[in-house]
Amino acid sequence: AAAAAAAATTTAVSASSSAAGAATTTPKRTTPPDQEQEEEAAGREGERAVVPTNIDNYEEGKQGKEGDAKTLNFNNDGAANNVEGTNDGGGIASNEGGGDQAGQLKKEEEEEEDLSQYILGYGGDDDDDNAQKKDDQQQKQEKGAKDEEDEEDLSMYILGGGDDDEEKLNPEDFKVKQKEGETIVRKPGEIKGQSFTIQDLKNCTVALFDNSAQVQIDDCVNCKIFIGPCESSVFIRTCKDCQLVVSCAQFRARDCTNMDVLLHVGRGQPIIETSSDIRFGPFHGSYAELKGQLASASMSAWDTEWTNVHDFNSPGSGEKPHWSYLPSDKATSEALLGRKIGAICADITPLSSDLIPRTWGTKGLSGKAEGEVEYGFLLLGGDTPEELGNQLLEWLAEQESKEGSALPKLLRSRRKEMSRAELDSYSKLAGSLLNEAIKPGVLIGLEFAYQKQPQDDEDKEEEAEACAPLLSKVMFGEAAIAAPDSASAKKMATEFFGALRSSSG
């Protein structure tokens, strides 16, 4: 029966298609309204009914989509020939009817695409603008939050700022300005590593017995100034007739005249610029609290090149040098400041020996011919090379107190990181084997010079022999490498420090 129905239907289709110019009719839809709404909803979501590709599948399509089976039969040209579909399988659709329904489906798909413009961030120029505005607004909010964080972080660098400060600092406590004939003292612990300003003083004494970040001194006349360990630079401008005792990482003087300076400079050369009549000597004025202040300022007492002064304005032809050495008898803090440092501040503990070694550079060789000078070199190691160095300084202080002593002058000192290979080379220069007490790490090198003594003077020979434990033998047991003779000492010192430079002073 099904085959007979299919054959009859095929005959009807052929007859309808071959009738030239005959009017085609579209059967009335008998689909209930509620079912039609369901079909539209299914079409918008992209779900389409199963469409049989030929008339033989009509019954299958009808059973699969009961009440609304649609059959499309396409010819070779791809045009829709027929649309067949009713609840009872009765009507036949023409090309025109098929085209109308296909157009309706296309229209629904276009409407579906058009809706995408209104989905947030999907399509449409307006949404691009809105999305851009939203991004801009979000960036502004993020930037504002970051700026607030930065402002909070900066507070730690502002004098007295930060939440961790138990006590807020007063910036005025770190300035001395526009005073005359006064003594201004900052005791240990009062500067607290802050920067300090000294300006426009006349006939004043200023003493900073604490470590600082940096110190600037401007427009001072006839003043006496003591500066404890300064972590960065001490910068002096337009000052005259002043005496200074300074420990700092860097030293610079500009537009200054007639100044005496006892200097410990931890990094680099002292610098003068458009200045004249500047006299330098080694730092003097040690006190017990100085050791901890040097550590707080990240400085070493053993690193100094105060004799290696750099003048930005070299003297012209026939002009005298702009700087020179202070005479030894005037190179003391008491001579420059007019009193002992303990008399200036009762809250410090002055020391009889030096915590900062008094090196002399080529000044230690002044007035001596090369043949009259003996050299010595020591390399201090062990677990505490600085403690060994302090013992040496105490010994030197005791010997120098003896009248007429001809003991050596300390020319240079420096801390240096050394490898095992470097230590081996110094040990070979010293003519000895490297022992276990000398380990790679930070060591202290010391160069000495003393005047060679006549061989026929027994007293002088005895005094020269007193130098032997220091200069030719190992004074500190196995914790040091000592040069065996003057020639080896010069070679080892040049290897460690570089060549000893002659100074214009």
Side-chain angles (χ1 to χ4, degrees):
T9 304
T10 303
T11 303
V13 170
S14 300
S16 175
S17 300
S18 60
T24 59
T25 59
T26 301
K28 235 173 161 181
R29 289 184 63 97
T30 58
T31 307
D34 55 344
Q35 186 173 346
E36 186 175 356
Q37 293 174 1
E38 291 176 0
E39 289 175 7
E40 290 182 7
R44 286 175 183 166
E45 294 174 0
E47 298 179 1
R48 296 291 183 265
V50 177
V51 182
T53 56
N54 56 55
I55 200 66
D56 292 333
N57 294 328
Y58 171 76
E59 290 294 332
E60 183 180 350
K62 181 179 178 181
Q63 295 174 5
K65 187 73 175 180
E66 188 173 345
D68 191 30
K70 299 176 183 178
T71 302
L72 298 179
N73 190 6
F74 298 93
N75 60 16
N76 292 336
D77 295 332
N81 290 327
N82 300 289
V83 177
E84 178 185 8
T86 63
N87 287 338
D88 56 5
I92 297 176
S94 68
N95 288 342
E96 183 179 352
D100 290 343
Q101 192 164 355
Q104 179 67 23
L105 292 174
K106 184 176 181 181
K107 182 178 180 182
E108 289 176 357
E109 290 176 357
E110 290 175 350
E111 290 176 352
E112 193 172 28
E113 292 176 357
D114 291 339
L115 289 174
S116 66
Q117 327 177 20
Y118 305 103
I119 299 175
L120 183 61
Y122 185 84
D125 296 336
D126 293 338
D127 286 325
D128 289 341
D129 294 340
N130 292 335
Q132 183 64 41
K133 290 178 181 179
K134 185 176 180 180
D135 289 343
D136 293 343
Q137 184 177 4
Q138 185 176 357
Q139 289 176 3
K140 288 180 181 179
Q141 291 174 349
E142 292 175 354
K143 185 177 183 301
K146 186 176 185 302
D147 290 342
E148 290 178 2
E149 291 177 0
D150 291 342
E151 284 183 337
E152 292 174 358
D153 291 342
L154 286 174
S155 66
M156 68 179 68
Y157 303 104
I158 298 173
L159 190 64
D163 296 334
D164 295 336
D165 288 345
E166 296 180 1
E167 180 182 355
K168 296 298 182 180
L169 303 179
N170 183 1
E172 297 303 316
D173 292 338
F174 307 95
K175 301 176 184 178
V176 178
K177 294 184 176 182
Q178 298 177 339
K179 296 184 180 296
E180 183 173 355
E182 296 186 26
T183 296
I184 301 98
V185 178
R186 294 293 184 269
K187 298 181 291 185
E190 289 190 334
I191 299 178
K192 303 177 182 178
Q194 300 291 330
S195 298
F196 205 94
T197 300
I198 301 171
Q199 184 177 351
D200 196 16
L201 306 185
K202 183 180 291 186
N203 304 323
C204 288
T205 296
V206 180
L208 309 182
F209 291 108
D210 200 6
N211 60 288
S212 57
Q214 63 180 16
V215 178
Q216 186 159 308
I217 306 172
D218 293 321
D219 305 309
C220 293
V221 178
N222 195 31
C223 291
K224 304 178 185 300
I225 301 173
F226 185 101
I227 306 294
C230 177
E231 186 173 359
S232 56
S233 63
V234 171
F235 194 10
I236 307 170
R237 300 182 298 187
T238 58
C239 294
K240 65 179 182 179
D241 306 329
C242 292
Q243 291 79 42
L244 300 97
V245 181
V246 178
S247 173
C248 61
Q250 297 175 320
F251 177 89
R252 186 168 182 173
R254 189 176 74 191
D255 300 324
C256 296
T257 58
N258 191 32
M259 293 199 315
D260 298 329
V261 184
L262 296 180
L263 182 61
H264 165 236
V265 56
R267 293 189 291 272
Q269 300 172 257
I271 294 173
I272 64 172
E273 183 178 1
T274 58
S275 299
S276 60
D277 293 324
I278 312 297
R279 294 167 291 277
F280 288 99
F283 179 91
H284 183 255
S286 293
Y287 52 99
E289 297 79 6
L290 181 61
K291 182 178 180 180
Q293 293 170 5
L294 285 166
S296 296
S298 302
M299 295 172 60
S300 169
W302 299 92
D303 295 334
T304 183
E305 288 193 60
W306 70 267
T307 62
N308 190 18
V309 179
H310 178 73
D311 185 358
F312 267 117
N313 306 97
S314 300
S317 179
E319 184 182 5
K320 70 175 184 178
H322 296 149
W323 71 276
S324 62
Y325 288 119
L326 270 170
S328 299
D329 60 340
K330 294 183 179 180
T332 67
S333 58
E334 184 176 357
L336 264 61
L337 302 177
R339 47 184 164 165
K340 294 182 178 181
I341 58 175
I344 298 174
C345 180
D347 293 278
I348 63 171
T349 306
L351 299 177
S352 57
S353 60
D354 296 309
L355 280 176
I356 297 176
R358 306 197 75 198
T359 58
W360 294 92
T362 55
K363 170 67 175 175
L365 306 176
S366 297
K368 298 179 178 65
E370 181 65 23
E372 298 176 347
V373 177
E374 292 280 354
Y375 291 91
F377 178 82
L378 272 177
L379 194 58
L380 304 181
D383 296 329
T384 55
E386 292 194 3
E387 291 300 324
L388 296 179
N390 289 335
Q391 294 177 25
L392 171 62
L393 296 180
E394 291 174 2
W395 181 79
L396 283 174
E398 292 175 1
Q399 302 302 316
E400 287 178 357
S401 63
K402 298 177 180 179
E403 185 175 354
S405 174
L407 287 174
K409 293 282 189 181
L410 180 59
L411 303 183
R412 294 183 285 182
S413 70
R414 183 182 299 164
R415 290 192 320 163
K416 188 176 182 179
E417 185 87 20
M418 301 186 70
S419 66
R420 172 62 63 178
E422 289 174 319
L423 290 175
D424 284 336
S425 67
Y426 280 91
S427 182
K428 291 178 181 178
L429 288 172
S432 62
L433 296 176
L434 191 64
N435 58 69
E436 294 182 357
I438 306 295
K439 303 175 182 177
V442 177
L443 287 87
I444 295 175
L446 305 167
E447 182 183 18
F448 298 87
Y450 67 99
Q451 188 169 1
K452 188 183 295 185
Q453 303 300 325
Q455 295 296 321
D456 56 350
D457 190 327
E458 294 183 0
D459 294 335
K460 295 294 184 179
E461 285 180 5
E462 290 178 1
E463 186 170 318
E465 288 177 1
C467 300
L470 175 64
L471 301 174
S472 301
K473 298 178 182 179
V474 179
M475 181 179 181
F476 305 104
E478 295 184 343
I481 298 175
D485 51 51
S486 182
S488 298
K490 287 184 68 175
K491 188 173 183 179
M492 293 171 73
T494 300
E495 184 82 14
F496 189 87
F497 297 102
L500 184 62
R501 301 177 184 177
S502 298
S503 304
S504 61

